[in-house]
Amino acid sequence: MNSESPGPPVTTPSTSQSAPASTAAPVSVSAAGLPGRLGSLGPVGLVLAGGISVQFGGALAVTLMPRAGALGVVTLRLLAAAVILLVVCRPRLRGHSRTDWSTVIVFGITMGAMNGLFYEAVDRIPLGLAVTLEVLGPLALSVLASRRAISVLWAGLALGGVFLIGGGDFSGLDPVGVGLALAAGAMWATYIIFSARTGRRFPQADGLALAMAVAALLFLPLGVADAGSRLLDPVTVALGSSVAVLSSVLPYTLELLALRRLPAHTFAVLMSLEPAIATIAGFLVLGQALSATQAAAVALVVAASIGAVRSQVGRGRKAAGGAQPEPVVAARPEPDPVVAAQPEGNGSAS
């Protein structure tokens, strides 16, 4: 994260409270600074393009780790994202309560921890498997929130996927990497909760920009300790900024445009495909081929994620007597759409 972040960072269904993107103020394509023909991809194409950008950004981050270390890469990504968000959002610092600041600080800590744990994981195990394990956090949150018998099926599918990832045990994988990916998933679930709380307390993406700044500042000492002067290398900085753009700015811009024309639950189903996209990115960019058993594990987790989304949507419709349910939107381990933070007429967004 996606988270990710992230990060990166993939997405799974969350509760309806974690859907700030679907309620963002409309932003015209021209205001987003994107070519008008981008919309010709169609909303599904935009979501898939965003997912590809996130996962290939994650693969690029892995190639950068020998230059700056995992914590150094996280630091560069968080710093670049924080600068972009602060410039675009120009968040107001006055007029917030102590509870507001406590919420945004915890959100920032969670965001930093999620990204750090994930990048440490992908430094040890294949990208596709790390994303698949990480996605269990939001999936567990979704299953627990639904409280339906069918949720046992989705939980069983996900657990079956975890069993297959290790081929019955995890002796073939770095156990530290597995544990870090699972911990990143727990942080992702926490991120979803505090993303919703922050969104309710701060206008547009102000809270997100402040939380990203908190995460970047907290991670800076760790990045300096891990990478030292390598963080100042121009090539490393350029590559780290590219990771931030690929994994944050571009995908969230594309998804914001898609959400204007795509039902939120359809968006969440499409985002559930990202463990598979991460597997493809890991193979093409990093040469990380999965065994047939591990590929089946990824497919099981994807199926569980899609099933959980559809179950929540069906439950919402039944509760509303057939009316359209509250949006069920996936939450990445990274910022909500940064374009939403830029009011129309105030210049182009990132």
Side-chain angles (χ1 to χ4, degrees):
M1 34 149 80
N2 254 318
S3 260
E4 189 116 30
S5 297
V10 289
T11 312
T12 57
S14 67
T15 60
S16 61
Q17 285 185 327
S18 61
S22 62
T23 57
V27 179
S28 67
V29 176
S30 59
L34 296 172
R37 60 177 177 274
L38 201 60
S40 64
L41 287 174
V44 172
L46 291 173
V47 174
L48 292 177
I52 291 170
S53 179
V54 165
Q55 301 310 332
F56 278 82
L60 175 61
V62 175
T63 66
L64 182 57
M65 286 176 186
R67 300 181 64 98
L71 298 183
V73 173
V74 176
T75 300
L76 288 172
R77 177 176 176 176
L78 291 176
L79 282 172
V83 169
I84 292 171
L85 283 167
L86 289 173
V87 170
V88 171
C89 301
R90 296 187 293 250
R92 181 169 53 86
L93 300 180
R94 298 179 182 274
H96 302 298
S97 68
R98 181 177 299 178
T99 303
D100 293 341
W101 282 111
S102 298
T103 300
V104 84
I105 289 172
V106 174
F107 186 29
I109 293 172
T110 301
M111 191 184 304
M114 175 181 54
N115 280 274
L117 290 167
F118 179 76
Y119 277 99
E120 287 285 356
V122 298
D123 197 29
R124 293 171 170 82
I125 62 176
L127 177 63
L129 297 185
V131 169
T132 303
L133 290 168
E134 187 196 26
V135 93
L136 296 176
L139 177 58
L141 181 63
S142 179
V143 168
L144 291 173
S146 70
R147 299 179 182 177
R148 300 182 66 198
I150 190 65
S151 297
V152 177
L153 171 61
W154 311 133
L157 281 178
L159 290 175
V162 172
F163 180 82
L164 289 177
I165 284 175
D169 61 58
F170 287 92
S171 60
L173 293 174
D174 185 327
V176 175
V178 171
L180 288 167
L182 292 173
M187 288 295 99
W188 190 350
T190 307
Y191 169 95
I192 291 172
I193 294 170
F194 279 91
S195 175
R197 292 181 182 179
T198 302
R200 289 193 294 267
R201 291 184 173 276
F202 290 84
Q204 296 184 334
D206 283 14
L208 175 66
L210 294 172
M212 185 63 72
V214 169
L217 289 175
L218 290 177
F219 233 94
L220 184 58
L222 298 176
V224 171
D226 188 39
S229 60
R230 290 179 293 170
L231 289 178
L232 301 178
D233 178 70
V235 175
T236 302
V237 171
L239 290 173
S241 299
S242 298
V243 170
V245 171
L246 284 172
S247 297
S248 301
V249 179
L250 180 59
Y252 292 106
T253 300
L254 295 174
E255 289 160 15
L256 176 64
L257 295 175
L259 278 167
R260 294 170 61 196
R261 295 182 286 159
L262 193 69
H265 61 271
T266 303
F267 173 81
V269 169
L270 290 170
M271 300 295 278
S272 299
L273 301 174
E274 291 203 14
I277 299 174
T279 300
I280 295 171
F283 175 72
L284 293 178
V285 179
L286 306 172
Q288 297 175 340
L290 301 185
S291 67
T293 301
Q294 291 172 332
V298 174
L300 283 177
V301 174
V302 168
S305 183
I306 292 174
V309 172
R310 296 183 67 85
S311 293
Q312 278 193 293
V313 172
R315 180 189 180 206
R317 284 177 175 161
K318 183 177 180 180
Q324 181 71 17
E326 290 294 319
V328 181
V329 179
R332 288 185 183 277
E334 271 295 323
D336 300 310
V338 297
V339 179
Q342 179 66 42
E344 282 192 84
N346 284 358
S348 62
S350 300

